[in-house]
Amino acid sequence: MFPSTSPEAGRESWPAEPHAGPAAAATRAPRTGPATTDGDRRERGGPRRARRTGEPARKSEDEVDEPEEEVVPPVEVHRQLALTIAGFAALLGVGLVLGAQTSGPGHRLPFAFIVFGVQLLFVLAWTMAMRPPALLVVAGISAGVAALADVAAVRSDIAGLAPLGYLAVGGFVAAVLGQLVRRVDRVRVTDSLGATLLIVVGVVAFGTLIVLSRIPAGTQAITVCLTASGVALTVARLTDAVLPWPRLAPQVPRGAAGVVAGAMVGTLTSALLGSYLVAPFTPTRAAVIGLVAAVTAVLADLAVGYAEAGRLMAGEPPTMWVARHMQGPLGGFALAAPAAYAMCMLFL
């Protein structure tokens, strides 16, 4: 029988050239063309990606498209609102200055009642604007601390700030404990510690005016510092109503011109008052303490505007309209009061 396949099918064909040995490798003709190394060789097994005409192989790092910054439109400045706030700051300053003139040895109660009324306005405005947990508890404790601070400032044997400091610490601790009572408020206590501290310390700061009225030349220092602060706040807001430029931030309806003009006019006013007051006041000393009080009040008012803009950008709902706009001047006078006490101790 014959096999099913040919005997030549499984046999290897003879190579056309002899087996490549050492001698054959030596006699092989060299290749023509540029020499390549192993590192320069490219793999040609996969498909190539078609390159568009005129398109570079790879974009450089400088050519990478960067996202454009979002342009935030500036907040509109309401002239009528700025004028209203300026009027409120002027009335508040006049009330405190005239109240200080009624103070005398053995007659501290009239000024204490005026200060207590301003403290209640401060508690109302700041609690409604910042809305800490357990709002009614914080407001009630702050009002009680304000009353106790005024009593301590009037009836203490030595005119000093130690009783007010103890009351501020005790009031802050009581307000925090009041927020920890309910579970709903307990979650937000950590985030609201700063707001609670500002409210309690702010009402106590007004009590330093009563302590200052018991010090020699303290009533005159109150007149100079609070007049400078009131003029600075009023001029700053009036300037914002006319020329809110240059804008300090798009989200804050305030201008740098108002801040600078308010501080300068307030300092000038204090220097003029110093030329009419008796010793130890001089125009130079009055200008220095007036400058500190005016700058402190204006910057506190500006900081309140930034805080309100931050709350709105964070998505929090806007607070009561009246409280929101009373917050700035009240905060300015609250910070100017201890500044006046410190400058009186240092320069007078």
Side-chain angles (χ1 to χ4, degrees):
M1 297 179 62
F2 296 95
S4 58
T5 58
S6 172
E8 301 293 334
R11 184 178 300 176
E12 296 181 357
S13 59
W14 293 98
E17 297 179 1
H19 182 68
T27 59
R28 185 176 299 173
R31 295 181 180 179
T32 60
T36 59
T37 60
D38 293 337
D40 296 333
R41 294 177 181 176
R42 297 179 180 177
E43 296 181 0
R44 300 179 180 273
R48 291 187 177 182
R49 181 180 178 183
R51 183 183 302 175
R52 296 180 182 177
T53 305
E55 182 180 354
R58 182 180 298 175
K59 292 184 178 181
S60 61
E61 296 180 358
D62 298 337
E63 296 177 356
V64 177
D65 296 335
E66 297 181 357
E68 297 181 356
E69 296 182 358
E70 184 179 357
V71 179
V72 180
V75 178
E76 183 182 359
V77 179
H78 300 281
R79 293 186 176 181
Q80 296 295 332
L81 178 60
L83 294 175
T84 303
I85 298 175
F88 174 71
L91 290 176
L92 190 60
V94 170
L96 288 173
V97 171
L98 293 181
Q101 299 301 320
T102 63
S103 179
H107 298 85
R108 312 290 181 186
L109 289 180
F111 186 43
F113 281 120
I114 294 174
V115 171
F116 183 68
V118 177
Q119 288 170 326
L120 291 181
L121 286 177
F122 182 89
V123 171
L124 173 64
W126 279 69
T127 51
M128 293 302 298
M130 305 191 76
R131 292 187 175 276
L135 187 146
L136 295 178
V137 174
V138 175
I141 292 176
S142 300
V145 170
L148 293 176
D150 296 342
V151 172
V154 171
R155 299 184 63 85
S156 60
D157 297 332
I158 300 175
L161 299 182
L164 302 184
Y166 298 146
L167 287 171
V169 174
F172 174 69
V173 173
V176 172
L177 292 178
Q179 295 172 353
L180 293 174
V181 173
R182 296 198 311 169
R183 180 178 300 178
V184 178
D185 300 326
R186 195 181 307 159
V187 179
R188 298 175 51 207
V189 169
T190 305
D191 299 333
S192 66
L193 289 177
T196 306
L197 181 63
L198 285 176
I199 295 171
V200 175
V201 173
V203 296
V204 174
F206 279 105
T208 58
L209 295 175
I210 303 175
V211 178
L212 186 57
S213 65
R214 299 177 56 184
I215 298 175
T219 302
Q220 295 178 346
I222 293 174
T223 302
V224 172
C225 293
L226 294 190
T227 301
S229 301
V231 170
L233 292 172
T234 304
V235 172
R237 292 290 185 168
L238 290 177
T239 307
D240 289 337
V242 178
L243 184 64
W245 182 87
R247 293 291 292 271
L248 296 173
Q251 299 83 7
V252 181
R254 301 294 304 273
V259 176
V260 176
M264 294 177 62
V265 177
T267 305
L268 178 61
T269 304
S270 62
L272 292 176
L273 284 176
S275 62
Y276 290 100
L277 296 177
V278 298
F281 276 91
T282 61
T284 303
R285 290 183 177 180
V288 171
I289 65 175
L291 173 64
V292 174
V295 171
T296 301
V298 171
L299 292 181
D301 186 19
L302 182 62
V304 169
Y306 273 93
E308 179 64 22
R311 287 194 294 268
L312 293 178
M313 292 179 63
E316 298 183 9
T319 55
M320 184 186 299
W321 183 86
V322 178
R324 187 168 66 249
H325 299 299
M326 289 171 56
Q327 189 183 6
L330 287 169
F333 280 106
L335 198 59
Y341 182 88
M343 297 304 295
C344 181
M345 295 291 100
L346 292 175
F347 285 92
L348 299 179

